[in-house]
Amino acid sequence: MAEVVPHLSFIFGLRAGVANNLYFLDEQTLIFPAGNHCVCFNIEQTLQRFIPGKEGSEGMLALAISPDRHYLAISERFGNGIITVFDLQHEENKKIRALWGRDIPVQEFVCMAFSHDSKYLIGQSGPPDWILFLWLWETQQVIATVKTAGVANTIHQVSFNPQNSTQICVCGNGVFKLFRYFKKTLEQVNVPALPPHNFLSHSWMSATRVITGTDNGQLLVFESGDLCLEMNVATKPFTQDPERCGEGDGMEEELFPAQLPRVTAIAVYSKGFACSAGPGVVCLFEKMEDKDNYRRSKQIQIPSNPFGNHLNKTEPQEIVSMCISPLEATLATSTDQGQLYSISLFSAEMSKGEQAQFDFLSHSFHSSTITDLSICIHKPFIATCSQDRAVHIWNYETRELELRKEFQEETRCIALHPSGLFILVGFPSKLRVLKLLMDNMRPFKEFELTQCTECAFSHGGHMFAAVSGKVIYVYSTTAFDNLLILQDHKAKVFSIIWSEDDSRMMSCCMDGAVYKWNTVSGKLEAESVHMTYMYSSFTVSPDAKTIYAVGTDCTLKEIEGCQIVKEVSTDNVVCTAITLSRGGRVLFIGTISGTVRAIGCPLSKQKDWIEYQGHASPVTKMVVTFDDQFLVTISEDRCLLIWKLVWKKHGLKRDKEIPYLEEILISKSDMEEKFKTMLQLEIRVAELKKEKDYQLQLRDISHKMFLKEVTEKLKEEIESLKSENEALRTEKEKQRKDNEDTMEAVIEKHAKELQDLKATANQRMLYEYEMYHDLHRKYQHMQEEYKHELQSTEERKTQELEELTTHYESKQAESLLVIGQYEEKSHLQKQEYEAMIKGIEKDADQLIVGYRGKYERTLKEERDANMQLQDETGIMRKKFGHMQKEIDDKNKEIGKLKAELQRARGSMKALEKDMQNLKVEIKMRNLNIEEKERDIGQLKEMIADLEKNKFLQDHKMKGMMKQIKPNEKLIEELKDQIKGMEGELEQYEKQTTHQELKITELKLRLKAADKDRQQDMQRINDLETLLKRFKADLHYCVGFIQEPKRLMLSMILLYDCYIQQSDLVGIARMDVNVQKNGREQEEIEENVVACLKRTMAKDSEVHHALKFKMMKENAILINEINSLRRKLKLLRDQARDYESRLHITKKEKQSPAELKAATKTAPVLPMTKPDLEEESEIPEQQGIEIKNPNPELLSISSSSEEELEDISQLLSAKTLADRKPDLQRRAYSTKLPSLNF
């Protein structure tokens, strides 16, 4: 058994293809399908609770929630269609009932709905039957069925009347029907004939009014089945974002042409209703007070993709489902691309204008199959890529989306660097390395790898591998050099895994081959090839010795040392993914049905795995985090599941904990932009402070003016209050007298009413008590009569049955005796006439046929008699059932009488409550009288205070009037000064803006100039180093000036070293910008060239003189060398003569053995005939080269250091290519030492 239990912790994603897939459980909790679960997501706490689907189901089809939000119904396909009802009030979401079609085979239920009292449930079956089922779901009883559509139609939605459980509405393509449940059948209500519409959605506005939406943007309102109103949701074609303008609009119109808005969802609330109005648009309609009509009040749009770029236009999103929270504070929607959006209906954006925008409910999810997954060591990040061309970076600890980016091409594979700061992304045309910045992913290196399907960083992060078809490329992360190319695979490689020490790498291809590579030498160390298997995934043990693989043969294989050691069957379930925990103790396997299996290691032959329900589609990849705390799985159902691993044996023991890095990458330009924005904000804050000070001064002035008006109003109010007080006093006295009179009359009335009520109540109680006794007596009498009747009917039944049984048994005995007699007669006749059978065969046959006919008739008569008896017994049974029904009806009458008794008791209780309520009202009126008296006293005190305040305010007014008159002149002068200051401020602001623009232009020019200067400096440094190297090599070449062949070869090698074919090609392919800049600088360079020509003319004269001197000195040196060679030749000849003479003298003295040894040890003569010929040829060649020197060498010797680069470019590549073979032959023949440049 496995040592770990994975618990589902969090799900990122929304499952597609589920009808009515979004509901509010309460104000902060939403229900939606994800994987093979329904998620209860708390928006504030970001917590999730899961309702699992049925194990082995083929997928969810629809959801429905009861109006009281206590029950949730889930439609699934499990061979046949099945509906499961869950209790949402229970903490563990307990399963209550399972409903199906009973005797009617149903493949699927496409939509459902609860009644307003949550007692009934309707389910619409799918094609081709389209049968509507009505259940009393608590008893699992199908109480009615009806066919709602034909084979050519489709049903989109069904619903109950919100106030009447017997009325049902059904809408679809060409279908709009109202049904009424009556006498255990569903009867269609007459609806007026309508033109054919495709009704996509509907909702009940009231008990008699239904609103429907069509696929051409029409809203039809039906009142009691009659069409009373028609509306259109749009007057112009909708697009995803109408605010966009410019060049992008034309591109969007070409990609996604305008179409009629489809009303796919309608949600009703107290003010009106909300409905979808085309791709990504929701319209709010409010009811008009005067007319029985609706007006369009708001338009809410799904915003354009903030993560994409202007070249990548995303498809418009169709709204699939829509719901409003119980307090009508939030509107939530789901789309066909698996996204969830919401908006607060009380937000400031909603109150400002007619248009508003949705926000993501939690995060942006993948809208297509998730293809690859990767994690890192130093950050809690999960990277995923999908067929929707997007890359997501998730945080599995905070459960948030860190980064998201969309690309123009489909993403095939992904790999996170162990530091979590870089990421590899494979595309069909290239492989990119991206930096994970604070709020973006920015590429900084690209590799031209086509069809890159797999990539992976090493555990150390210093290398990474990428797969292109059958070849694996290994690169360095520091220099991005290609270190290794591994190309022994014969089929497409689909997975690669590094060992923990990064010294080995395992790869697996489609033909069942698993290779083990040495990443240092690039050699293949081991291979396991089994052509009969098709592997889908594999993993490696921590010591890199054991490989576990799964494939299409429904087995788990353990491979060691190129051989399959163990094979474990998976019960005919295809496994699609496999991974191993970091400790190597547990294997996790993903299946084609979306389940996850945990298997302990080492493997045993027994099937000891535990299976957990997770996804609704095949698992594409799964990974365990580096701390063995989480399991991450992805699937074709667009969902990312995070499992919390709970270890059984004392938790997980780790050698050391790796802390997560908090550092992030940010570019210099971004930092500069942020600093600029900070400075701008600081300036803006200072400006706002000045503006607010100015506004405060204006407010002070306005307040002073307001004070004047208030004081005048107060005077008027005081006078009016005095008059009102006098009127109130008079009214008070009148009311007091009236109240006293009314109180006396009310008390007398209440006393009389109390007495009357008591008398009537007593009379009713006596009457009802007598009625109860009479009914009880009648009930007992009826029971006794029914008992006597039942006993008599039972006795009659038993007697009749006994009589019938005895009668038919006697008849059976008589018939058996007759048959026995006939058999004896036939036997005797056979014995008598056996001898005569041959002669009278024809007569015997006729007799036999006659006897057979008689016997068959008798048998038929007996069978008919038996059938009559069976019919009589059936009639008796029916009479007995009828009697039982009568007994049941009597029992129902008794129940009705009991209910009447309970009602009478309830009326008694209601009368008692009325008595208590009257007493409470008397007390409340007494309290109101006391409160009014208190209010009158407070009013008197208020009047006294107001008179005092009036006197004080009069005194203050006089003082203020004296101060206001001299200050009015100052106020007018200050106003003139302020106007002048405002004009100066406007001029100053214009000047500052103009100067800021100039400053920004100058800064840009400075930056461009600095960049050019740095590039020029770099070029100068490169040229200086190249010149130094060229001088050194040229000096080395000058050493061979005495030997023309070596000099020629060294110069050719020098040419090959410093002038390459790519340089010539690069010169030919100059950029257009460089040519333009060159043309602009031609005038300056022409002047410089003229000056250089003058200096060159002077230098050329000096160089000619030096050249002639060198020529003369060379000639003298050559003559001396030739004379020395001649002397050497003569000396060698003399030495040979002396040696020959010495050998002759020694031979005469030495023995024959010594002579042989001497010949063996004798040195080889240094000069041979060809050497002498070559030496004789050398001076002649030197003389020819001195007379006819090489013009290129002369130009090199005479040119200055600045001209060397230009001269090297003048040498033609064609002549060099023609001369190369001859020169190489000469180099090999002369065996010159190679130059080391």
Side-chain angles (χ1 to χ4, degrees):
M1 294 293 287
E3 298 179 9
V4 67
V5 179
H7 292 289
L8 192 57
S9 175
F10 207 82
I11 300 178
F12 292 104
L14 175 67
R15 183 172 175 179
V18 181
N20 301 322
N21 60 0
L22 190 63
Y23 288 104
F24 270 100
L25 179 60
D26 54 42
E27 198 63 29
Q28 298 298 329
T29 308
L30 275 159
I31 296 175
F32 58 87
N36 201 28
H37 298 264
C38 275
V39 180
C40 300
F41 177 59
N42 190 303
I43 302 167
E44 284 190 349
Q45 300 175 359
T46 63
L47 295 175
Q48 289 184 353
R49 192 159 49 98
F50 305 102
I51 302 171
K54 196 172 181 65
E55 290 185 6
S57 70
E58 298 175 17
M60 294 182 187
L61 299 172
L63 300 181
I65 195 168
S66 61
D68 57 3
R69 293 179 173 82
H70 286 178
Y71 306 105
L72 177 71
I74 302 173
S75 169
E76 296 176 277
R77 191 187 291 113
F78 190 73
N80 290 329
I82 190 168
I83 296 172
T84 311
V85 182
F86 291 90
D87 184 4
L88 297 175
Q89 299 301 308
H90 198 274
E91 290 182 358
E92 297 180 357
N93 300 315
K94 186 178 178 182
K95 176 183 171 183
I96 302 174
R97 294 286 183 273
L99 309 174
W100 62 95
R102 295 292 179 185
D103 299 331
I104 303 170
V106 177
Q107 293 182 357
E108 60 186 13
F109 291 99
V110 295
C111 50
M112 304 169 294
F114 279 96
S115 61
H116 74 283
D117 54 3
S118 303
K119 289 182 180 179
Y120 300 97
L121 178 70
I122 52 173
Q124 176 66 59
S125 69
D129 298 329
W130 297 109
I131 297 172
L132 181 69
F133 290 82
L134 175 61
W135 286 280
L136 187 63
W137 66 267
E138 290 182 348
T139 59
Q140 297 179 322
Q141 182 182 357
V142 178
I143 59 176
T145 58
V146 68
K147 188 167 184 177
T148 56
V151 178
N153 304 108
T154 54
I155 302 299
H156 297 301
Q157 190 178 353
V158 295
S159 66
F160 274 103
N161 189 314
Q163 297 178 14
N164 188 355
S165 299
T166 61
Q167 279 191 331
I168 297 167
C169 181
V170 179
C171 73
N173 188 3
V175 177
F176 178 75
K177 295 179 181 179
L178 295 172
F179 293 94
R180 184 168 65 93
Y181 178 66
F182 182 71
K183 291 183 180 180
K184 297 185 179 180
T185 58
L186 286 169
E187 298 176 351
Q188 186 177 351
V189 179
N190 292 326
V191 176
L194 295 170
H197 289 288
N198 186 5
F199 296 99
L200 300 177
S201 59
H202 74 267
S203 186
W204 291 83
M205 302 292 290
S206 64
T208 57
R209 177 170 286 196
V210 183
I211 184 167
T212 62
T214 66
D215 62 347
N216 58 3
Q218 284 187 328
L219 291 170
L220 306 177
V221 182
F222 295 88
E223 185 75 36
S224 300
D226 298 326
L227 183 64
C228 64
L229 184 62
E230 288 188 27
M231 293 183 288
N232 202 324
V233 295
T235 56
K236 60 182 180 179
F238 282 88
T239 57
Q240 180 75 9
D241 191 359
E243 292 180 1
R244 291 185 184 178
C245 57
E247 296 177 0
D249 292 342
M251 191 185 294
E252 280 189 359
E253 286 175 4
E254 290 176 6
L255 289 170
F256 311 113
Q259 57 184 355
L260 288 170
R262 290 159 48 89
V263 184
T264 54
I266 300 174
V268 177
Y269 65 111
S270 59
K271 293 182 180 178
F273 65 92
C275 67
S276 63
V281 179
V282 172
C283 291
L284 297 182
F285 286 84
E286 292 183 358
K287 191 172 183 180
M288 298 173 72
E289 295 178 359
D290 300 336
K291 300 177 182 179
D292 194 10
N293 202 345
Y294 300 90
R295 66 176 183 85
R296 181 170 162 178
S297 60
K298 261 328 167 220
Q299 180 175 305
I300 310 168
Q301 290 185 337
I302 293 173
S304 59
N305 186 7
F307 305 104
N309 49 33
H310 65 282
L311 296 172
N312 185 14
K313 301 295 178 185
T314 56
E315 294 181 3
Q317 301 186 51
E318 189 77 44
I319 290 169
V320 174
S321 184
M322 187 162 48
C323 61
I324 297 173
S325 62
L327 299 179
E328 298 182 354
T330 307
L331 173 66
T333 61
S334 63
T335 67
D336 59 347
Q337 293 186 13
Q339 305 297 329
L340 294 174
Y341 297 94
S342 67
I343 189 169
S344 175
L345 296 176
F346 302 134
S347 63
E349 189 179 4
M350 289 291 289
S351 60
K352 281 181 182 177
E354 291 185 357
Q355 288 193 351
Q357 285 191 341
F358 282 105
D359 295 323
F360 283 111
L361 183 69
S362 57
H363 307 291
S364 174
F365 300 137
H366 282 294
S367 60
S368 187
T369 301
I370 304 174
T371 55
D372 203 2
L373 165 72
S374 181
I375 59 171
C376 60
I377 301 172
H378 297 290
K379 287 193 177 185
F381 284 174
I382 303 167
T384 57
C385 65
S386 170
Q387 291 177 358
D388 60 2
R389 301 176 295 180
V391 172
H392 289 229
I393 307 296
W394 311 90
N395 191 317
Y396 58 80
E397 284 201 339
T398 60
R399 300 169 182 175
E400 291 180 354
L401 178 64
E402 295 286 339
L403 286 173
R404 183 181 186 274
K405 188 175 179 67
E406 282 193 7
F407 298 92
Q408 297 177 24
E409 295 181 276
E410 181 185 340
T411 53
R412 296 287 179 85
C413 58
I414 198 165
L416 266 175
H417 192 270
S419 64
L421 300 175
F422 305 96
I423 191 169
L424 276 173
V425 183
F427 298 93
S429 60
K430 62 188 74 176
L431 176 71
R432 286 180 180 172
V433 185
L434 292 91
K435 293 184 283 187
L436 297 181
L437 302 178
M438 186 171 65
D439 55 358
N440 195 9
M441 299 182 204
R442 190 170 294 170
F444 70 98
K445 185 66 179 177
E446 290 185 357
F447 299 92
E448 296 297 328
L449 288 180
T450 58
Q451 301 298 327
C452 182
T453 56
E454 186 70 14
C455 58
F457 276 103
S458 62
H459 290 86
H462 60 290
M463 291 185 292
F464 65 89
V467 176
S468 177
K470 304 176 186 178
V471 185
I472 303 170
Y473 298 90
V474 181
Y475 293 92
S476 169
T477 310
T478 53
F480 297 107
D481 296 330
N482 188 1
L483 303 177
L484 296 171
I485 299 175
L486 312 175
Q487 48 187 358
D488 287 350
H489 278 288
K490 296 178 182 178
K492 188 177 179 181
V493 180
F494 68 85
S495 183
I496 52 174
I497 299 175
W498 292 84
S499 63
E500 287 194 353
D501 58 355
D502 296 333
S503 62
R504 305 287 185 274
M505 184 172 63
M506 277 59 70
S507 61
C508 186
C509 63
M510 303 296 287
D511 61 354
V514 180
Y515 288 178
K516 186 176 181 180
W517 307 88
N518 188 319
T519 55
V520 179
S521 62
K523 293 180 180 179
L524 180 66
E525 290 189 347
E527 60 179 337
S528 172
V529 181
H530 299 279
M531 305 297 284
T532 56
Y533 303 137
M534 284 284 289
Y535 294 131
S536 57
S537 181
F538 81 108
T539 187
V540 183
S541 62
D543 57 0
K545 293 180 180 178
T546 308
I547 296 170
Y548 301 95
V550 292
T552 56
D553 59 344
C554 301
T555 57
L556 168 63
K557 295 177 178 63
E558 183 179 346
I559 303 169
E560 284 186 8
C562 305
Q563 291 182 354
I564 296 173
V565 179
K566 289 180 185 177
E567 283 192 21
V568 180
S569 175
T570 58
D571 286 345
N572 295 323
V573 176
V574 177
C575 300
T576 57
I578 187 170
T579 189
L580 185 67
S581 64
R582 301 295 168 184
R585 292 186 287 176
V586 180
L587 271 172
F588 296 99
I589 297 174
T591 66
I592 198 167
S593 61
T595 58
V596 175
R597 293 180 177 180
I599 305 175
C601 286
L603 295 177
S604 62
K605 293 183 180 180
Q606 297 177 355
K607 301 168 185 177
D608 60 345
W609 61 72
I610 303 172
E611 195 163 9
Y612 301 93
Q613 201 73 18
H615 293 278
S617 297
V619 178
T620 54
K621 195 167 183 180
M622 53 201 314
V623 177
V624 178
T625 58
F626 285 89
D627 55 359
D628 273 347
Q629 295 297 318
F630 294 96
L631 171 69
V632 186
T633 60
I634 57 174
S635 171
E636 293 178 4
D637 59 5
R638 309 178 180 179
C639 296
L640 168 70
L641 271 64
I642 300 172
W643 306 74
K644 177 70 176 174
L645 300 180
V646 179
W647 297 88
K648 293 179 181 178
K649 294 184 179 179
H650 310 293
L652 180 68
K653 293 181 180 179
R654 296 177 63 193
D655 297 334
K656 56 181 181 178
E657 291 188 358
I658 301 170
Y660 291 131
L661 297 176
E662 295 182 355
E663 290 77 14
I664 57 170
L665 293 177
I666 186 167
S667 62
K668 189 177 179 182
S669 60
D670 292 340
M671 285 291 290
E672 288 174 353
E673 285 178 4
K674 287 186 177 180
F675 282 129
K676 285 179 182 177
T677 53
M678 284 173 67
L679 289 169
Q680 289 174 359
L681 288 168
E682 286 175 358
I683 294 162
R684 182 62 181 159
V685 167
E687 291 175 354
L688 286 169
K689 283 182 180 177
K690 291 178 181 177
E691 286 179 3
K692 285 189 176 180
D693 291 337
Y694 178 67
Q695 288 175 0
L696 284 169
Q697 290 176 359
L698 293 173
R699 282 181 184 176
D700 290 337
I701 295 162
S702 63
H703 284 311
K704 287 176 182 177
M705 298 293 288
F706 182 68
L707 271 171
K708 288 180 181 178
E709 294 175 358
V710 167
T711 50
E712 291 175 356
K713 286 180 182 179
L714 280 169
K715 288 177 181 177
E716 293 175 357
E717 286 176 0
I718 288 162
E719 291 176 356
S720 63
L721 282 168
K722 282 181 180 179
S723 60
E724 285 177 3
N725 281 328
E726 291 175 357
L728 285 168
R729 283 174 187 172
T730 55
E731 285 179 3
K732 178 193 167 185
E733 290 176 357
K734 288 179 182 178
Q735 284 180 359
R736 186 168 58 78
K737 290 176 182 178
D738 294 336
N739 285 329
E740 287 175 356
D741 297 334
T742 52
M743 279 296 291
E744 288 174 357
V746 166
I747 289 163
E748 289 175 358
K749 282 181 183 180
H750 281 305
K752 289 177 182 178
E753 286 175 359
L754 277 169
Q755 289 174 0
D756 295 336
L757 287 167
K758 283 178 182 179
T760 53
N762 290 326
Q763 288 174 2
R764 282 182 186 175
M765 283 290 288
L766 291 168
Y767 176 72
E768 287 173 359
Y769 187 70
E770 288 173 359
M771 287 289 289
Y772 172 72
H773 278 291
D774 292 335
L775 290 168
H776 188 65
R777 286 169 194 163
K778 287 179 182 179
Y779 174 66
Q780 288 177 351
H781 182 65
M782 291 283 285
Q783 277 185 340
E784 289 173 357
E785 286 178 355
Y786 286 129
K787 282 178 183 178
H788 290 304
E789 286 178 3
L790 282 168
Q791 287 175 0
S792 61
T793 50
E794 286 176 357
E795 288 173 358
R796 287 173 194 167
K797 182 186 172 184
T798 52
Q799 286 176 2
E800 288 174 356
L801 283 169
E802 287 174 358
E803 289 173 358
L804 288 167
T805 50
T806 52
H807 176 67
Y808 288 113
E809 281 175 358
S810 61
K811 278 188 177 182
Q812 271 186 348
E814 290 174 359
S815 62
L816 287 168
L817 287 169
V818 172
I819 290 162
Q821 290 173 3
Y822 284 123
E823 284 178 353
E824 287 175 359
K825 287 178 182 179
S826 64
H827 186 65
L828 290 169
Q829 286 174 0
K830 282 180 184 177
Q831 288 178 357
E832 289 175 359
Y833 297 104
E834 275 179 0
M836 299 172 68
I837 286 169
K838 293 180 181 179
I840 55 170
E841 281 179 356
K842 292 179 181 180
D843 298 330
D845 290 334
Q846 289 175 0
L847 288 168
I848 288 162
V849 169
Y851 284 127
R852 278 183 183 175
K854 287 178 183 179
Y855 292 142
E856 285 174 356
R857 286 168 193 162
T858 53
L859 281 168
K860 283 180 180 178
E861 288 174 357
E862 288 176 0
R863 283 175 183 170
D864 293 334
N866 285 323
M867 289 296 290
Q868 286 176 1
L869 289 168
Q870 286 177 359
D871 292 335
E872 287 176 0
T873 53
I875 290 161
M876 291 299 290
R877 282 176 186 169
K878 285 179 181 178
K879 286 180 180 178
F880 182 71
H882 184 66
M883 292 294 288
Q884 279 185 342
K885 285 181 181 178
E886 287 179 354
I887 290 161
D888 292 336
D889 293 335
K890 293 291 183 183
N891 288 329
K892 287 179 181 177
E893 287 177 1
I894 291 160
K896 287 178 181 178
L897 291 169
K898 285 181 180 178
E900 287 177 358
L901 266 172
Q902 287 177 357
R903 286 172 189 167
R905 287 175 183 171
S907 62
M908 285 289 292
K909 289 178 181 177
L911 289 168
E912 288 176 358
K913 285 180 181 177
D914 291 336
M915 288 280 290
Q916 290 176 358
N917 291 329
L918 288 166
K919 289 178 181 178
V920 170
E921 283 180 4
I922 291 161
K923 288 180 182 177
M924 291 296 291
R925 288 186 179 182
N926 291 327
L927 292 169
N928 287 328
I929 290 160
E930 290 176 0
E931 285 177 359
K932 284 181 179 179
E933 287 176 353
R934 287 174 190 169
D935 292 332
I936 289 160
Q938 288 176 359
L939 283 167
K940 287 179 181 178
E941 292 175 358
M942 287 286 289
I943 289 160
D945 293 333
L946 286 167
E947 287 176 354
K948 290 178 182 177
N949 287 326
K950 181 192 171 186
F951 177 77
L952 292 169
Q953 284 173 1
D954 290 333
H955 182 69
K956 287 179 181 178
M957 282 289 292
K958 290 176 182 177
M960 291 290 287
M961 291 294 289
K962 291 177 182 177
Q963 292 177 2
I964 285 164
K965 288 179 181 178
N967 288 328
E968 285 177 351
K969 293 179 181 178
L970 290 169
I971 288 162
E972 289 176 357
E973 291 174 0
L974 288 168
K975 282 181 181 178
D976 296 330
Q977 288 179 3
I978 287 161
K979 287 179 182 177
M981 291 289 284
E982 283 176 352
E984 290 175 0
L985 270 170
E986 288 177 357
Q987 291 178 359
Y988 179 72
E989 283 175 357
K990 289 178 182 177
Q991 289 175 0
T992 51
T993 51
H994 185 66
Q995 287 175 358
E996 282 175 357
L997 290 168
K998 284 184 178 179
I999 288 160
T1000 51
E1001 287 177 1
L1002 290 168
K1003 283 181 179 178
L1004 291 169
R1005 288 179 185 174
L1006 272 170
K1007 283 182 181 178
D1010 288 336
K1011 285 181 182 177
D1012 294 334
R1013 185 178 59 76
Q1014 287 175 1
Q1015 289 175 359
D1016 292 333
M1017 289 296 290
Q1018 187 66 33
R1019 287 175 189 167
I1020 290 161
N1021 292 329
D1022 294 337
L1023 289 169
E1024 285 177 356
T1025 53
L1026 197 140
L1027 270 172
K1028 286 177 183 178
R1029 286 171 61 193
F1030 182 81
K1031 283 178 183 178
D1033 294 338
L1034 187 65
H1035 182 71
Y1036 184 83
C1037 293
V1038 169
F1040 299 112
I1041 199 164
Q1042 302 296 330
E1043 299 175 9
K1045 290 182 180 179
R1046 289 190 178 184
L1047 185 64
M1048 188 190 302
L1049 288 169
S1050 60
M1051 291 303 293
I1052 289 162
L1053 291 169
L1054 189 69
Y1055 180 85
D1056 291 336
C1057 183
Y1058 287 95
I1059 298 168
Q1060 297 178 0
Q1061 194 69 21
S1062 61
D1063 297 333
L1064 299 171
V1065 173
I1067 292 162
R1069 297 176 181 175
M1070 289 178 68
D1071 294 331
V1072 177
N1073 295 327
V1074 175
Q1075 289 178 359
K1076 286 180 181 179
N1077 293 327
R1079 288 168 187 170
E1080 290 174 0
Q1081 293 180 0
E1082 274 182 359
E1083 294 178 359
I1084 298 164
E1085 287 177 355
E1086 283 175 359
N1087 296 327
V1088 174
V1089 168
C1091 295
L1092 287 169
K1093 282 180 180 178
R1094 291 169 194 163
T1095 53
M1096 280 290 293
K1098 293 177 182 178
D1099 291 332
S1100 62
E1101 292 174 359
V1102 176
H1103 284 301
H1104 279 297
L1106 290 169
K1107 182 176 71 175
F1108 283 115
K1109 282 183 182 179
M1110 289 288 289
M1111 291 285 285
K1112 288 177 183 178
E1113 288 174 358
N1114 283 331
I1116 293 162
L1117 288 168
I1118 287 163
N1119 291 324
E1120 288 176 359
I1121 288 162
N1122 290 328
S1123 63
L1124 288 168
R1125 281 178 178 165
R1126 287 171 194 152
K1127 288 177 182 178
L1128 272 168
K1129 195 175 181 183
L1130 291 169
L1131 289 169
R1132 282 175 182 169
D1133 293 332
Q1134 290 175 2
R1136 285 173 188 167
D1137 292 334
Y1138 287 128
E1139 284 175 359
S1140 61
R1141 289 174 188 173
L1142 285 168
H1143 279 295
I1144 292 163
T1145 54
K1146 284 180 182 179
K1147 283 177 184 176
E1148 291 174 354
K1149 294 177 181 178
Q1150 286 176 352
S1151 63
E1154 289 174 350
L1155 284 168
K1156 286 179 182 179
T1159 54
K1160 285 180 183 178
T1161 57
V1164 180
L1165 292 173
M1167 294 294 287
T1168 59
K1169 190 175 181 180
D1171 292 334
L1172 293 169
E1173 288 175 358
E1174 283 180 6
E1175 280 188 359
S1176 63
E1177 287 174 4
I1178 286 165
E1180 292 174 2
Q1181 289 176 0
Q1182 286 177 354
I1184 292 162
E1185 285 178 0
I1186 288 163
K1187 289 176 183 178
N1188 299 315
N1190 192 350
E1192 292 174 2
L1193 292 170
L1194 289 170
S1195 63
I1196 290 165
S1197 63
S1198 64
S1199 62
S1200 63
E1201 290 179 356
E1202 295 176 0
E1203 296 168 352
L1204 285 169
E1205 191 173 352
D1206 297 326
I1207 292 163
S1208 63
Q1209 291 176 359
L1210 294 170
L1211 293 170
S1212 64
K1214 187 175 179 183
T1215 55
L1216 181 65
D1218 295 332
R1219 290 170 63 190
K1220 258 186 181 178
D1222 297 329
L1223 294 168
Q1224 285 176 355
R1225 283 191 220 109
R1226 289 181 191 175
Y1228 283 119
S1229 63
T1230 53
K1231 297 180 182 178
L1232 285 170
S1234 61
L1235 293 170
N1236 297 319
F1237 298 123

